[in-house]
Amino acid sequence: YIHDLVEDHLKKKKRYVLPAVLFAIAGLICWCGISQVISNSVASSFKNAFSIPPLYTSIMLVILSAIIVLRKNATVKVLDFIVPVMAVCYFFITLFIIAVNLRQIPSVFARIFEEAFGLRQMAAGGFGAVLMNGVKRGLFSNEAGSGSAPAAECDRPAKAGLVQALGVFVDTIVICSCTAMIMLLAPKDLINGLSGMDLLQTAMQYHLGKFGVIFIALTLFLFSFSTFLGILFYARSNVAYLFGDKWCFQTAYKVLALVMLFIGGIAAYTFVWDLGDVGIGLMTIFNIIALYPLAGEALSELKSYEESKKL
């Protein structure tokens, strides 16, 4: 909605609107943060899989990204095929791990509920911390409601909404749950105190040996690289609105994103999430404020679409 508002006001020669300005700034902050998370995760996974120092991985990632993103209308079409294939492979590998450790599933779910809803956790405020972290990571994984990807080509708006809802289900419910099961099915003393890629790849090494560690590194690289290209595509409209759709401004933001990509690869794991969390949180707040008045219209369109499918 905010993107449409931006376009309408640009057509009317009204250069800036406060909600749109705040949203555009929050988006650029968020995508700089995501750039850091991408390189940090890839650098950590390559260190575990191939013993490559994070500095070298960061430099390689920045050079490869720069070669692509600094071109006009940059895209890598092969990723459109490879990324879904890797996601399906990840899903079936998780099913294999679950099948091998089927007897442990009841204890895993017991541990999940105990850690989330136990008396000790609730008394210490642990439930609130788990809920807050879950919301942050869930929003970060699928960006539902943030307005980061509003454009869609379809004959009915409801179709776009349902496709986005399916994306949330696949991304957060399926893929993130796969990651959780892989880690929780590893011995607790083996992964105790680990975080990020160290945690996931240690668990994968326990289940699948060195293959699991390498598979995670390569899969994460493809996911991350496609994400980086995607966020720079999203950022184009924000930059154009704030500064004008000129090559110099678009290139300046791409260079900034590449700098953040490099910094994230050599920064501490916990630090790199903060900027992305702040940016996407602000984006979502501004977008929901704009979406709330449209709730009735959206529900009416959904009802109309559902009725049309019954005919």
Side-chain angles (χ1 to χ4, degrees):
Y1 173 72
I2 289 183
H3 280 71
D4 294 338
L5 183 65
V6 169
E7 291 182 1
D8 290 341
H9 279 272
L10 282 174
K11 291 176 182 177
K12 297 175 182 178
K13 305 301 182 182
K14 293 181 179 179
R15 188 68 183 91
Y16 295 114
V17 183
L18 182 60
V21 170
L22 294 175
F23 177 84
I25 294 173
L28 296 182
I29 293 172
C30 170
W31 294 318
C32 278
I34 292 177
S35 298
Q36 290 189 95
V37 173
I38 287 171
S39 58
N40 187 269
S41 300
V42 172
S44 179
S45 66
F46 271 50
K47 179 182 178 182
N48 294 333
F50 309 111
S51 300
I52 301 176
L55 177 62
Y56 297 160
T57 301
S58 301
I59 293 173
M60 177 271 295
L61 194 59
V62 169
I63 292 174
L64 183 60
S65 300
I67 292 172
I68 295 174
V69 303
L70 293 180
R71 293 186 295 118
K72 188 176 181 180
N73 299 324
T75 183
V76 181
K77 294 186 179 299
V78 69
L79 292 176
D80 294 340
F81 170 76
I82 294 178
V83 170
V85 169
M86 298 300 284
V88 171
C89 291
Y90 187 67
F91 175 70
F92 281 105
I93 284 176
T94 303
L95 290 182
F96 171 77
I97 292 173
I98 291 174
V100 172
N101 299 275
L102 197 58
R103 294 183 179 180
Q104 298 184 41
I105 296 299
S107 62
V108 166
F109 281 100
R111 179 182 170 188
I112 291 173
F113 284 97
E114 179 184 343
E115 292 291 337
F117 304 108
L119 293 177
R120 176 176 60 84
Q121 287 77 11
M122 295 184 71
F127 176 74
V130 168
L131 181 63
M132 180 180 68
N133 201 51
V135 170
K136 289 195 299 183
R137 295 286 74 80
L139 181 58
F140 205 94
S141 70
N142 58 61
E143 301 182 16
S146 67
S148 61
E153 294 183 7
C154 58
D155 55 345
R156 295 291 297 270
K159 287 185 179 180
L162 293 171
V163 169
Q164 290 288 59
L166 177 62
V168 172
F169 174 79
V170 172
D171 197 2
T172 302
I173 304 301
V174 177
I175 299 299
C176 291
S177 295
C178 286
T179 302
M181 294 304 294
I182 289 171
M183 294 186 295
L184 291 172
L185 286 170
K188 190 174 181 179
D189 57 346
L190 180 66
I191 60 175
N192 190 35
L194 300 178
S195 62
M197 284 301 104
D198 293 337
L199 172 59
L200 177 58
Q201 287 182 300
T202 299
M204 283 294 282
Q205 185 168 24
Y206 170 79
H207 295 301
L208 300 176
K210 190 65 175 178
F211 165 78
V213 179
I214 296 175
F215 176 79
I216 290 296
L218 296 179
T219 302
L220 183 66
F221 173 77
L222 293 172
F223 285 163
S224 299
F225 197 68
S226 61
T227 300
F228 185 69
L229 296 179
I231 62 177
L232 288 183
F233 176 78
Y234 296 152
R236 290 178 61 183
S237 59
N238 295 44
V239 173
Y241 178 66
L242 291 173
F243 308 106
D245 193 14
K246 297 182 179 179
W247 178 87
C248 58
F249 296 125
Q250 295 290 352
T251 302
Y253 184 75
K254 290 178 180 179
V255 172
L256 175 61
L258 290 169
V259 170
M260 300 303 285
L261 193 71
F262 176 76
I263 293 174
I266 58 177
Y269 174 77
T270 54
F271 166 78
V272 299
W273 286 93
D274 296 339
L275 191 61
D277 285 338
V278 170
I280 200 167
L282 291 174
M283 281 178 69
T284 306
I285 291 172
F286 298 141
N287 195 56
I288 289 177
I289 291 173
L291 287 175
Y292 183 75
L294 294 173
E297 184 178 344
L299 291 174
S300 176
E301 164 60 24
L302 176 61
K303 184 177 179 181
S304 174
Y305 177 74
E306 291 175 340
E307 289 176 352
S308 69
K309 300 301 290 184
K310 294 178 181 178
L311 299 177

